Amino acid sequence: MKKGEESKFYKYILRGKSIHIGDRIKKGLFKPCVDFLRATTITFALRRLYNDRSIYAIGLKIKGRKKILTRNIIDRFTNAGKLTGDRGPIHIEYIEDPECEVYINKYLGKELIVSVGGFRTIGFGDCKLSFQEEVIPEIKKIILDSAFPFEWKKIFGFKNEVGIVRIGYLFVPFEDDWLNGEYKKSYFPQSELIAFSFLSQYGG
Amino acid sequence: MANPAEVLNKKELKKFYPEVHDAGKLLFTPINYTDRHWRILDEMQKEWQQAITQHHYFQEDDIIYFPSHISVFLITVADHFSASFSRVRLERERGGTKNYHTNKLWNKRAYDFENYVPKENQSEGEILEKIVREKLQLSYDEHKERLIEYLKTEPVNFLADYQEILEARPEDVHPLKNITSLYEHLLLTKKMFWLIVDLLRDEILSEKKSPLDTPFSSESIIKEIDELIRNRFNFFPNQLNKLRQEFYELENKLSNSLRAYFCEVLFFFPHYIFKAHDLYILKKIEEKINSLLYKFEDNLFLRDENRIVLILGDNKIKELEDELKKISDELNLFVEIRKSNGLRNLKNEILTKSREELLEKSLSYLPSNLPDSIRIPCEVCRIREGKEYEEDEKKVVLCEYCFRIRKEGKEKNPFKVYSKWENEDMAVVHFKLDLFGKSFQRFIEEMYNDYVKIVENKGLIRSSSSETTSGKITNFLPFINSFRCDFIKFRKSFIEKLLRNGREVEEILENTILVRLNTISDVINLGATLHETLYDYFSSLYDVTLNYSGLNSNLIKKPLRVFVSVNKAKYPFFLHWRDIEEFVNENFDFLLCLPHKRPLKLSFAQLKTLIEFVKDLEKKDISLSRAKIHQIRQIANVSQALAELVIRKDKEVQLPKMDKLIETIEIKSLFDFLDLMDDYLTKKI
């Protein structure tokens, strides 16, 4: 890459019918949904699509209406719904008509369809990304509106922590085994950082 | 002079009881046509008696009434800080009738402009007699005798013993100034006194030297004060103004020499609280905060929810930060600090700057040894490696911290009532207090402007028709504590009403209670009880009419807001909080989150309209009302626009006062509310 190109990002708007970005590790009958598009979710969705491990992306706050879908797991022996116990019915929280700003480090075309988040097999997650503009971000003090792993600091222009930090862990698949991975230490929303301006909804 | 640090010995200073200095205001002591409340005692041998008699030396012509001990001088400084030369400054002082009733700006309904105002041929003393009779059930003479006798011995519990009458009597009875009580003033003076002492000690004991921008150190000022006190009898009677001036200059020097930091501490836990025993973490946090505040008692400015605000000197900041780091590690918490730079002229800084302007720096304390990666996160905190455990015949994954908290939570079971609920419907009622910042200041100013107009319209101040009075609140500090005290009373009354109505209630935190509901629509009854109690204590919150119209930063956010989230008891608890937090920055007074519905966002005035609408319907033919509401709902399911038209135009379908309801509430919210009402009325039939 030429000098200056590595900090170029491409702004897209993500829109869809319904999306579920899970807030809870496996198990449990209630599946809450977060309202921001964390870097790992969108990045690995795009990498799956393009089979390109050099793609990095992050989304901000997801606008839309939160709703709950109750889904009954069918017992294969009785062919009836499971009403009790660990397995059902489950309540899936999702966002209807989601809309979200997404920043990607590569130009992926004017429009693309990508499947994002959880419960994709039952219809959630199909979204369209529409290109808006090229962005050469400034590095400034921001209040983070999304989440990204520590390992990806440089990608997002991170320089320093300058106040309150909120830490959590995000799932990052192994390089050679995308079905398995580890939870990596990450910055979460409300962290005060010096990093790229687009990481904050209001530009820092 | 003894070592300045020894002079400020806490044990010795305690005997001066700064909170007693204005005890004389409970009597009427006219001398030369002026009530001289500091002259109630004939003796001043005891320390607190000196505090009472010598703190008002500005109006005295005899040196014996000037401070005879450094403690008395500091009480005077604290008194002035607390009152800030009147917490209301009027552009022009207006004569008018004094009022011996404390009119609290947030409770307009309770304003009283008649019963405690001296009528023609009635003296102020008679009004005070009336208050004494009402609050203490004594005659004035009996009361006077008892008070004088009381002040002969150490007044250890003065504020508690005389609380009722101190709260009733305003600190300043002049027109337009009777808006804070004497109780609040004494409490604040006590707080300010110990804070000043703490800052002085800190400055003297600190290893850091004062920066060059101040020409004097606290230690030297203490010596100067001491010297002036010792030499006061060297001043002739005609030099008393000079003596007063010297004391006054020392007071200013002292105020400017103290360097203090404002510090806001937030205890943030990443824990995903699912069940009653997980809530035990809140008890642990509360315990830790209480033990922290035991060490920093003199520095506490404000406490609410999981936040404390402190004013501290250099040494104590370091001590605080060490304690917070320990708490973070012990409880696996994030502790966030926002602090100011070192402030001189503390009085000015507190009174003129908002929270946002004061707190410039921030940092977090994170639990130690957070790993870079985790294979299996703990289900609850999600920041530590978890291990599998068996619990209630299920497998759970918990880290050692959360396992310990859960285990202790189960053993101690502090939330016995909540832990019994399973499939029952439950409401989480959360009270959001916002007393530290511009929002509260603006609310108080707005209510004060309204108060001035009321007083003028009633003709209670002397002014010609062409003159208007405007006053400026100069000190918000007494309002903060007073509002909070009233909130505690309101909360207590609200819970008592719920219990009297046979409800099951669990108090999780000071600001959060859980109420079991019979059905989801039963939340209407809960809302009615809430409104009834809120209106008794905070009627002004209804009066400042701000119809919810979305996020608007120019509107005044109310200092108290109520958030209610309803769901089954087994619904993961953290989701209630998350639902509430999502809307915390929007500007409305009352939020109701119901399952599968859009949240209902209202002003208190709108809430009142809704409750009155429901109660009106209940008095009439419920079946008919329910049928009409059901009809509108069915129409709305097909077309909301048509339903709106029907509500506005069709007299057959319209219910009484429905037109008023439409004017006050957004139509979409109204339909959501009608869903609830339909269910509520169905259950009533």
Side-chain angles (χ1 to χ4, degrees), chain A residues 159-198:
Chain A
K159 292 290 180 214
N160 217 353
E161 295 169 8
V162 285
I164 307 294
V165 285
R166 299 266 168 100
I167 303 289
Y169 288 79
L170 294 177
F171 184 75
V172 175
F174 292 128
E175 284 280 329
D176 50 359
D177 178 4
W178 283 20
L179 293 176
N180 292 301
E182 278 186 324
Y183 289 83
K184 301 280 190 174
K185 203 169 178 183
S186 308
Y187 288 114
F188 267 59
Q190 302 301 305
S191 297
E192 295 169 356
L193 311 172
I194 296 185
F196 282 150
S197 53
F198 62 70

mmCIF file of all heavy atoms in Angstrom, chain A residues 159-198:
data_model
loop_
_atom_site.group_PDB
_atom_site.id
_atom_site.type_symbol
_atom_site.label_atom_id
_atom_site.label_comp_id
_atom_site.label_asym_id
_atom_site.label_seq_id
_atom_site.Cartn_x
_atom_site.Cartn_y
_atom_site.Cartn_z
ATOM 1 N N LYS A 159 -4.386 5.222 19.467
ATOM 2 C CA LYS A 159 -3.121 5.761 19.973
ATOM 3 C C LYS A 159 -3.040 5.586 21.486
ATOM 4 O O LYS A 159 -2.017 5.251 22.035
ATOM 5 C CB LYS A 159 -2.998 7.261 19.642
ATOM 6 C CG LYS A 159 -2.834 7.552 18.182
ATOM 7 C CD LYS A 159 -1.474 7.105 17.658
ATOM 8 C CE LYS A 159 -1.348 7.413 16.178
ATOM 9 N NZ LYS A 159 -0.557 6.418 15.460
ATOM 10 N N ASN A 160 -4.117 5.890 22.149
ATOM 11 C CA ASN A 160 -4.047 5.952 23.605
ATOM 12 C C ASN A 160 -5.422 5.861 24.260
ATOM 13 O O ASN A 160 -6.423 6.200 23.644
ATOM 14 C CB ASN A 160 -3.465 7.324 23.983
ATOM 15 C CG ASN A 160 -2.552 7.211 25.184
ATOM 16 O OD1 ASN A 160 -2.458 6.144 25.798
ATOM 17 N ND2 ASN A 160 -1.911 8.305 25.519
ATOM 18 N N GLU A 161 -5.401 5.400 25.497
ATOM 19 C CA GLU A 161 -6.609 5.530 26.330
ATOM 20 C C GLU A 161 -6.496 6.880 27.036
ATOM 21 O O GLU A 161 -5.431 7.210 27.542
ATOM 22 C CB GLU A 161 -6.654 4.426 27.391
ATOM 23 C CG GLU A 161 -6.792 3.039 26.825
ATOM 24 C CD GLU A 161 -6.563 1.967 27.883
ATOM 25 O OE1 GLU A 161 -6.454 2.321 29.078
ATOM 26 O OE2 GLU A 161 -6.472 0.793 27.515
ATOM 27 N N VAL A 162 -7.600 7.619 27.076
ATOM 28 C CA VAL A 162 -7.494 8.960 27.681
ATOM 29 C C VAL A 162 -8.500 9.195 28.796
ATOM 30 O O VAL A 162 -8.741 10.314 29.197
ATOM 31 C CB VAL A 162 -7.657 10.080 26.625
ATOM 32 C CG1 VAL A 162 -6.414 10.193 25.796
ATOM 33 C CG2 VAL A 162 -8.882 9.878 25.792
ATOM 34 N N GLY A 163 -9.079 8.152 29.288
ATOM 35 C CA GLY A 163 -10.041 8.364 30.371
ATOM 36 C C GLY A 163 -10.671 7.043 30.748
ATOM 37 O O GLY A 163 -10.005 6.040 30.939
ATOM 38 N N ILE A 164 -11.995 7.057 30.785
ATOM 39 C CA ILE A 164 -12.728 5.855 31.160
ATOM 40 C C ILE A 164 -12.571 4.808 30.056
ATOM 41 O O ILE A 164 -12.655 5.137 28.875
ATOM 42 C CB ILE A 164 -14.237 6.189 31.305
ATOM 43 C CG1 ILE A 164 -14.460 7.369 32.244
ATOM 44 C CG2 ILE A 164 -15.036 4.983 31.722
ATOM 45 C CD1 ILE A 164 -14.099 7.115 33.662
ATOM 46 N N VAL A 165 -12.345 3.548 30.461
ATOM 47 C CA VAL A 165 -12.358 2.465 29.460
ATOM 48 C C VAL A 165 -13.310 1.371 29.922
ATOM 49 O O VAL A 165 -13.370 1.051 31.101
ATOM 50 C CB VAL A 165 -10.959 1.854 29.186
ATOM 51 C CG1 VAL A 165 -10.124 2.768 28.348
ATOM 52 C CG2 VAL A 165 -10.240 1.484 30.451
ATOM 53 N N ARG A 166 -14.024 0.850 28.957
ATOM 54 C CA ARG A 166 -14.889 -0.296 29.251
ATOM 55 C C ARG A 166 -14.318 -1.494 28.494
ATOM 56 O O ARG A 166 -14.105 -1.415 27.284
ATOM 57 C CB ARG A 166 -16.321 -0.019 28.774
ATOM 58 C CG ARG A 166 -16.971 1.176 29.459
ATOM 59 C CD ARG A 166 -17.791 0.784 30.649
ATOM 60 N NE ARG A 166 -18.173 1.924 31.457
ATOM 61 C CZ ARG A 166 -19.355 2.528 31.429
ATOM 62 N NH1 ARG A 166 -20.280 2.093 30.608
ATOM 63 N NH2 ARG A 166 -19.615 3.560 32.216
ATOM 64 N N ILE A 167 -14.073 -2.537 29.235
ATOM 65 C CA ILE A 167 -13.410 -3.715 28.651
ATOM 66 C C ILE A 167 -14.378 -4.878 28.621
ATOM 67 O O ILE A 167 -15.177 -5.064 29.554
ATOM 68 C CB ILE A 167 -12.179 -4.098 29.508
ATOM 69 C CG1 ILE A 167 -11.208 -2.915 29.613
ATOM 70 C CG2 ILE A 167 -11.491 -5.338 28.975
ATOM 71 C CD1 ILE A 167 -10.481 -2.597 28.348
ATOM 72 N N GLY A 168 -14.281 -5.646 27.587
ATOM 73 C CA GLY A 168 -15.052 -6.884 27.491
ATOM 74 C C GLY A 168 -14.287 -7.843 26.614
ATOM 75 O O GLY A 168 -13.111 -7.609 26.293
ATOM 76 N N TYR A 169 -14.957 -8.911 26.216
ATOM 77 C CA TYR A 169 -14.276 -9.917 25.389
ATOM 78 C C TYR A 169 -15.140 -10.245 24.178
ATOM 79 O O TYR A 169 -16.357 -10.450 24.305
ATOM 80 C CB TYR A 169 -13.997 -11.175 26.230
ATOM 81 C CG TYR A 169 -12.896 -10.943 27.235
ATOM 82 C CD1 TYR A 169 -13.151 -10.265 28.426
ATOM 83 C CD2 TYR A 169 -11.583 -11.335 26.968
ATOM 84 C CE1 TYR A 169 -12.136 -9.997 29.329
ATOM 85 C CE2 TYR A 169 -10.559 -11.075 27.871
ATOM 86 C CZ TYR A 169 -10.842 -10.400 29.048
ATOM 87 O OH TYR A 169 -9.830 -10.128 29.945
ATOM 88 N N LEU A 170 -14.507 -10.284 23.020
ATOM 89 C CA LEU A 170 -15.210 -10.601 21.769
ATOM 90 C C LEU A 170 -14.652 -11.883 21.173
ATOM 91 O O LEU A 170 -13.434 -12.132 21.221
ATOM 92 C CB LEU A 170 -15.040 -9.468 20.751
ATOM 93 C CG LEU A 170 -15.680 -8.126 21.095
ATOM 94 C CD1 LEU A 170 -15.349 -7.095 20.020
ATOM 95 C CD2 LEU A 170 -17.185 -8.263 21.235
ATOM 96 N N PHE A 171 -15.521 -12.667 20.579
ATOM 97 C CA PHE A 171 -15.100 -13.942 19.991
ATOM 98 C C PHE A 171 -14.353 -13.688 18.688
ATOM 99 O O PHE A 171 -14.864 -13.021 17.787
ATOM 100 C CB PHE A 171 -16.330 -14.824 19.740
ATOM 101 C CG PHE A 171 -15.970 -16.184 19.216
ATOM 102 C CD1 PHE A 171 -15.435 -17.142 20.066
ATOM 103 C CD2 PHE A 171 -16.143 -16.504 17.874
ATOM 104 C CE1 PHE A 171 -15.094 -18.395 19.596
ATOM 105 C CE2 PHE A 171 -15.807 -17.748 17.397
ATOM 106 C CZ PHE A 171 -15.273 -18.706 18.263
ATOM 107 N N VAL A 172 -13.144 -14.238 18.603
ATOM 108 C CA VAL A 172 -12.340 -14.139 17.372
ATOM 109 C C VAL A 172 -11.971 -15.560 16.951
ATOM 110 O O VAL A 172 -11.327 -16.281 17.717
ATOM 111 C CB VAL A 172 -11.053 -13.307 17.619
ATOM 112 C CG1 VAL A 172 -10.159 -13.309 16.393
ATOM 113 C CG2 VAL A 172 -11.402 -11.888 18.014
ATOM 114 N N PRO A 173 -12.408 -15.976 15.767
ATOM 115 C CA PRO A 173 -12.093 -17.357 15.341
ATOM 116 C C PRO A 173 -10.594 -17.524 15.105
ATOM 117 O O PRO A 173 -9.874 -16.558 14.820
ATOM 118 C CB PRO A 173 -12.853 -17.502 14.023
ATOM 119 C CG PRO A 173 -13.757 -16.331 13.929
ATOM 120 C CD PRO A 173 -13.202 -15.257 14.782
ATOM 121 N N PHE A 174 -10.143 -18.759 15.173
ATOM 122 C CA PHE A 174 -8.736 -19.057 14.852
ATOM 123 C C PHE A 174 -8.528 -18.846 13.362
ATOM 124 O O PHE A 174 -9.443 -19.018 12.561
ATOM 125 C CB PHE A 174 -8.395 -20.501 15.227
ATOM 126 C CG PHE A 174 -8.406 -20.749 16.712
ATOM 127 C CD1 PHE A 174 -9.142 -21.795 17.241
ATOM 128 C CD2 PHE A 174 -7.692 -19.940 17.583
ATOM 129 C CE1 PHE A 174 -9.141 -22.047 18.611
ATOM 130 C CE2 PHE A 174 -7.710 -20.167 18.949
ATOM 131 C CZ PHE A 174 -8.438 -21.231 19.461
ATOM 132 N N GLU A 175 -7.290 -18.538 13.003
ATOM 133 C CA GLU A 175 -6.944 -18.290 11.612
ATOM 134 C C GLU A 175 -7.258 -19.498 10.728
ATOM 135 O O GLU A 175 -7.770 -19.367 9.627
ATOM 136 C CB GLU A 175 -5.432 -17.991 11.499
ATOM 137 C CG GLU A 175 -5.046 -16.604 11.967
ATOM 138 C CD GLU A 175 -5.316 -15.549 10.913
ATOM 139 O OE1 GLU A 175 -5.235 -15.867 9.711
ATOM 140 O OE2 GLU A 175 -5.643 -14.413 11.287
ATOM 141 N N ASP A 176 -6.934 -20.693 11.274
ATOM 142 C CA ASP A 176 -7.066 -21.881 10.441
ATOM 143 C C ASP A 176 -8.309 -22.707 10.776
ATOM 144 O O ASP A 176 -8.482 -23.805 10.250
ATOM 145 C CB ASP A 176 -5.803 -22.741 10.591
ATOM 146 C CG ASP A 176 -5.463 -22.975 12.074
ATOM 147 O OD1 ASP A 176 -6.203 -22.444 12.927
ATOM 148 O OD2 ASP A 176 -4.468 -23.653 12.356
ATOM 149 N N ASP A 177 -9.133 -22.213 11.662
ATOM 150 C CA ASP A 177 -10.330 -22.976 12.045
ATOM 151 C C ASP A 177 -11.413 -21.984 12.451
ATOM 152 O O ASP A 177 -11.506 -21.594 13.605
ATOM 153 C CB ASP A 177 -9.989 -23.915 13.204
ATOM 154 C CG ASP A 177 -11.207 -24.698 13.670
ATOM 155 O OD1 ASP A 177 -12.295 -24.576 13.046
ATOM 156 O OD2 ASP A 177 -11.089 -25.431 14.675
ATOM 157 N N TRP A 178 -12.231 -21.611 11.464
ATOM 158 C CA TRP A 178 -13.197 -20.548 11.728
ATOM 159 C C TRP A 178 -14.342 -20.961 12.639
ATOM 160 O O TRP A 178 -15.112 -20.134 13.101
ATOM 161 C CB TRP A 178 -13.760 -20.012 10.392
ATOM 162 C CG TRP A 178 -12.776 -19.112 9.709
ATOM 163 C CD1 TRP A 178 -11.430 -19.043 9.923
ATOM 164 C CD2 TRP A 178 -13.060 -18.182 8.671
ATOM 165 N NE1 TRP A 178 -10.862 -18.111 9.085
ATOM 166 C CE2 TRP A 178 -11.831 -17.566 8.307
ATOM 167 C CE3 TRP A 178 -14.233 -17.797 8.005
ATOM 168 C CZ2 TRP A 178 -11.755 -16.593 7.315
ATOM 169 C CZ3 TRP A 178 -14.143 -16.825 7.021
ATOM 170 C CH2 TRP A 178 -12.923 -16.237 6.676
ATOM 171 N N LEU A 179 -14.460 -22.246 12.872
ATOM 172 C CA LEU A 179 -15.556 -22.680 13.745
ATOM 173 C C LEU A 179 -15.167 -22.602 15.225
ATOM 174 O O LEU A 179 -16.026 -22.684 16.093
ATOM 175 C CB LEU A 179 -15.960 -24.116 13.400
ATOM 176 C CG LEU A 179 -16.606 -24.281 12.022
ATOM 177 C CD1 LEU A 179 -16.884 -25.744 11.745
ATOM 178 C CD2 LEU A 179 -17.907 -23.470 11.949
ATOM 179 N N ASN A 180 -13.895 -22.489 15.459
ATOM 180 C CA ASN A 180 -13.435 -22.381 16.849
ATOM 181 C C ASN A 180 -12.625 -21.116 17.010
ATOM 182 O O ASN A 180 -12.104 -20.567 16.042
ATOM 183 C CB ASN A 180 -12.577 -23.598 17.221
ATOM 184 C CG ASN A 180 -13.407 -24.850 17.271
ATOM 185 O OD1 ASN A 180 -14.367 -24.932 18.037
ATOM 186 N ND2 ASN A 180 -13.075 -25.815 16.419
ATOM 187 N N GLY A 181 -12.512 -20.719 18.252
ATOM 188 C CA GLY A 181 -11.733 -19.504 18.492
ATOM 189 C C GLY A 181 -11.638 -19.204 19.975
ATOM 190 O O GLY A 181 -11.916 -20.065 20.814
ATOM 191 N N GLU A 182 -11.257 -17.985 20.253
ATOM 192 C CA GLU A 182 -11.101 -17.548 21.641
ATOM 193 C C GLU A 182 -11.777 -16.190 21.806
ATOM 194 O O GLU A 182 -11.994 -15.478 20.836
ATOM 195 C CB GLU A 182 -9.619 -17.337 21.953
ATOM 196 C CG GLU A 182 -8.870 -18.597 22.303
ATOM 197 C CD GLU A 182 -7.457 -18.265 22.727
ATOM 198 O OE1 GLU A 182 -6.857 -17.339 22.161
ATOM 199 O OE2 GLU A 182 -6.955 -18.952 23.639
ATOM 200 N N TYR A 183 -12.045 -15.879 23.046
ATOM 201 C CA TYR A 183 -12.587 -14.556 23.350
ATOM 202 C C TYR A 183 -11.414 -13.637 23.690
ATOM 203 O O TYR A 183 -10.654 -13.894 24.604
ATOM 204 C CB TYR A 183 -13.554 -14.636 24.534
ATOM 205 C CG TYR A 183 -14.836 -15.342 24.172
ATOM 206 C CD1 TYR A 183 -14.915 -16.728 24.190
ATOM 207 C CD2 TYR A 183 -15.959 -14.609 23.784
ATOM 208 C CE1 TYR A 183 -16.088 -17.373 23.831
ATOM 209 C CE2 TYR A 183 -17.132 -15.250 23.429
ATOM 210 C CZ TYR A 183 -17.189 -16.632 23.450
ATOM 211 O OH TYR A 183 -18.348 -17.263 23.083
ATOM 212 N N LYS A 184 -11.314 -12.543 22.900
ATOM 213 C CA LYS A 184 -10.161 -11.660 23.046
ATOM 214 C C LYS A 184 -10.563 -10.367 23.745
ATOM 215 O O LYS A 184 -11.663 -9.835 23.527
ATOM 216 C CB LYS A 184 -9.603 -11.284 21.666
ATOM 217 C CG LYS A 184 -9.175 -12.492 20.848
ATOM 218 C CD LYS A 184 -7.830 -12.982 21.267
ATOM 219 C CE LYS A 184 -7.337 -14.019 20.281
ATOM 220 N NZ LYS A 184 -5.986 -14.451 20.546
ATOM 221 N N LYS A 185 -9.621 -9.873 24.516
ATOM 222 C CA LYS A 185 -9.861 -8.623 25.250
ATOM 223 C C LYS A 185 -10.131 -7.491 24.255
ATOM 224 O O LYS A 185 -9.415 -7.342 23.251
ATOM 225 C CB LYS A 185 -8.597 -8.290 26.039
ATOM 226 C CG LYS A 185 -8.770 -7.393 27.225
ATOM 227 C CD LYS A 185 -7.459 -7.415 28.008
ATOM 228 C CE LYS A 185 -7.469 -6.527 29.200
ATOM 229 N NZ LYS A 185 -6.167 -6.519 29.882
ATOM 230 N N SER A 186 -11.168 -6.703 24.559
ATOM 231 C CA SER A 186 -11.610 -5.702 23.586
ATOM 232 C C SER A 186 -12.080 -4.436 24.278
ATOM 233 O O SER A 186 -12.449 -4.456 25.445
ATOM 234 C CB SER A 186 -12.785 -6.264 22.782
ATOM 235 O OG SER A 186 -12.475 -7.521 22.237
ATOM 236 N N TYR A 187 -12.094 -3.354 23.502
ATOM 237 C CA TYR A 187 -12.701 -2.100 23.962
ATOM 238 C C TYR A 187 -14.188 -2.148 23.635
ATOM 239 O O TYR A 187 -14.572 -2.544 22.534
ATOM 240 C CB TYR A 187 -12.078 -0.891 23.273
ATOM 241 C CG TYR A 187 -10.685 -0.586 23.743
ATOM 242 C CD1 TYR A 187 -9.594 -0.706 22.888
ATOM 243 C CD2 TYR A 187 -10.451 -0.174 25.054
ATOM 244 C CE1 TYR A 187 -8.317 -0.429 23.326
ATOM 245 C CE2 TYR A 187 -9.173 0.098 25.497
ATOM 246 C CZ TYR A 187 -8.102 -0.030 24.635
ATOM 247 O OH TYR A 187 -6.837 0.238 25.071
ATOM 248 N N PHE A 188 -14.975 -1.672 24.594
ATOM 249 C CA PHE A 188 -16.417 -1.674 24.425
ATOM 250 C C PHE A 188 -16.944 -0.246 24.408
ATOM 251 O O PHE A 188 -16.206 0.695 24.733
ATOM 252 C CB PHE A 188 -17.055 -2.501 25.554
ATOM 253 C CG PHE A 188 -17.276 -3.938 25.163
ATOM 254 C CD1 PHE A 188 -16.199 -4.733 24.777
ATOM 255 C CD2 PHE A 188 -18.539 -4.497 25.174
ATOM 256 C CE1 PHE A 188 -16.387 -6.041 24.404
ATOM 257 C CE2 PHE A 188 -18.733 -5.815 24.805
ATOM 258 C CZ PHE A 188 -17.660 -6.592 24.416
ATOM 259 N N PRO A 189 -18.224 -0.064 24.055
ATOM 260 C CA PRO A 189 -18.767 1.307 23.978
ATOM 261 C C PRO A 189 -18.601 2.096 25.269
ATOM 262 O O PRO A 189 -18.635 1.537 26.347
ATOM 263 C CB PRO A 189 -20.254 1.081 23.676
ATOM 264 C CG PRO A 189 -20.293 -0.218 22.970
ATOM 265 C CD PRO A 189 -19.211 -1.045 23.582
ATOM 266 N N GLN A 190 -18.416 3.388 25.109
ATOM 267 C CA GLN A 190 -18.204 4.392 26.166
ATOM 268 C C GLN A 190 -16.742 4.547 26.548
ATOM 269 O O GLN A 190 -16.405 5.373 27.390
ATOM 270 C CB GLN A 190 -19.013 4.099 27.455
ATOM 271 C CG GLN A 190 -20.517 4.017 27.252
ATOM 272 C CD GLN A 190 -21.080 5.292 26.693
ATOM 273 O OE1 GLN A 190 -20.892 6.369 27.255
ATOM 274 N NE2 GLN A 190 -21.755 5.201 25.558
ATOM 275 N N SER A 191 -15.865 3.776 25.924
ATOM 276 C CA SER A 191 -14.432 3.936 26.225
ATOM 277 C C SER A 191 -13.950 5.242 25.617
ATOM 278 O O SER A 191 -14.305 5.585 24.484
ATOM 279 C CB SER A 191 -13.628 2.780 25.635
ATOM 280 O OG SER A 191 -14.009 1.566 26.226
ATOM 281 N N GLU A 192 -13.119 5.959 26.360
ATOM 282 C CA GLU A 192 -12.573 7.241 25.887
ATOM 283 C C GLU A 192 -11.168 6.986 25.328
ATOM 284 O O GLU A 192 -10.241 6.688 26.076
ATOM 285 C CB GLU A 192 -12.522 8.247 27.051
ATOM 286 C CG GLU A 192 -13.902 8.611 27.564
ATOM 287 C CD GLU A 192 -13.926 9.397 28.877
ATOM 288 O OE1 GLU A 192 -12.863 9.621 29.477
ATOM 289 O OE2 GLU A 192 -15.019 9.759 29.316
ATOM 290 N N LEU A 193 -11.049 7.125 24.022
ATOM 291 C CA LEU A 193 -9.790 6.746 23.358
ATOM 292 C C LEU A 193 -9.338 7.840 22.410
ATOM 293 O O LEU A 193 -10.133 8.696 22.021
ATOM 294 C CB LEU A 193 -10.001 5.473 22.508
ATOM 295 C CG LEU A 193 -10.684 4.276 23.143
ATOM 296 C CD1 LEU A 193 -10.953 3.219 22.084
ATOM 297 C CD2 LEU A 193 -9.837 3.701 24.256
ATOM 298 N N ILE A 194 -8.076 7.739 22.020
ATOM 299 C CA ILE A 194 -7.628 8.528 20.873
ATOM 300 C C ILE A 194 -7.514 7.532 19.729
ATOM 301 O O ILE A 194 -6.699 6.602 19.780
ATOM 302 C CB ILE A 194 -6.301 9.251 21.158
ATOM 303 C CG1 ILE A 194 -6.534 10.260 22.286
ATOM 304 C CG2 ILE A 194 -5.791 9.947 19.898
ATOM 305 C CD1 ILE A 194 -5.346 11.139 22.598
ATOM 306 N N ALA A 195 -8.355 7.706 18.744
ATOM 307 C CA ALA A 195 -8.426 6.743 17.639
ATOM 308 C C ALA A 195 -9.143 7.422 16.473
ATOM 309 O O ALA A 195 -9.392 8.630 16.507
ATOM 310 C CB ALA A 195 -9.176 5.495 18.079
ATOM 311 N N PHE A 196 -9.491 6.644 15.469
ATOM 312 C CA PHE A 196 -10.148 7.230 14.299
ATOM 313 C C PHE A 196 -11.494 7.848 14.697
ATOM 314 O O PHE A 196 -12.259 7.280 15.466
ATOM 315 C CB PHE A 196 -10.374 6.174 13.228
ATOM 316 C CG PHE A 196 -9.122 5.839 12.443
ATOM 317 C CD1 PHE A 196 -8.937 4.577 11.904
ATOM 318 C CD2 PHE A 196 -8.129 6.794 12.225
ATOM 319 C CE1 PHE A 196 -7.788 4.253 11.187
ATOM 320 C CE2 PHE A 196 -6.982 6.489 11.524
ATOM 321 C CZ PHE A 196 -6.804 5.221 10.996
ATOM 322 N N SER A 197 -11.765 8.999 14.091
ATOM 323 C CA SER A 197 -12.950 9.769 14.467
ATOM 324 C C SER A 197 -14.251 9.046 14.161
ATOM 325 O O SER A 197 -15.244 9.237 14.853
ATOM 326 C CB SER A 197 -12.943 11.123 13.746
ATOM 327 O OG SER A 197 -12.779 10.929 12.361
ATOM 328 N N PHE A 198 -14.269 8.189 13.135
ATOM 329 C CA PHE A 198 -15.544 7.566 12.763
ATOM 330 C C PHE A 198 -16.015 6.528 13.790
ATOM 331 O O PHE A 198 -17.126 6.032 13.701
ATOM 332 C CB PHE A 198 -15.497 6.944 11.363
ATOM 333 C CG PHE A 198 -14.497 5.821 11.184
ATOM 334 C CD1 PHE A 198 -14.682 4.584 11.783
ATOM 335 C CD2 PHE A 198 -13.372 6.004 10.397
ATOM 336 C CE1 PHE A 198 -13.767 3.556 11.603
ATOM 337 C CE2 PHE A 198 -12.456 4.980 10.218
ATOM 338 C CZ PHE A 198 -12.646 3.764 10.819
#
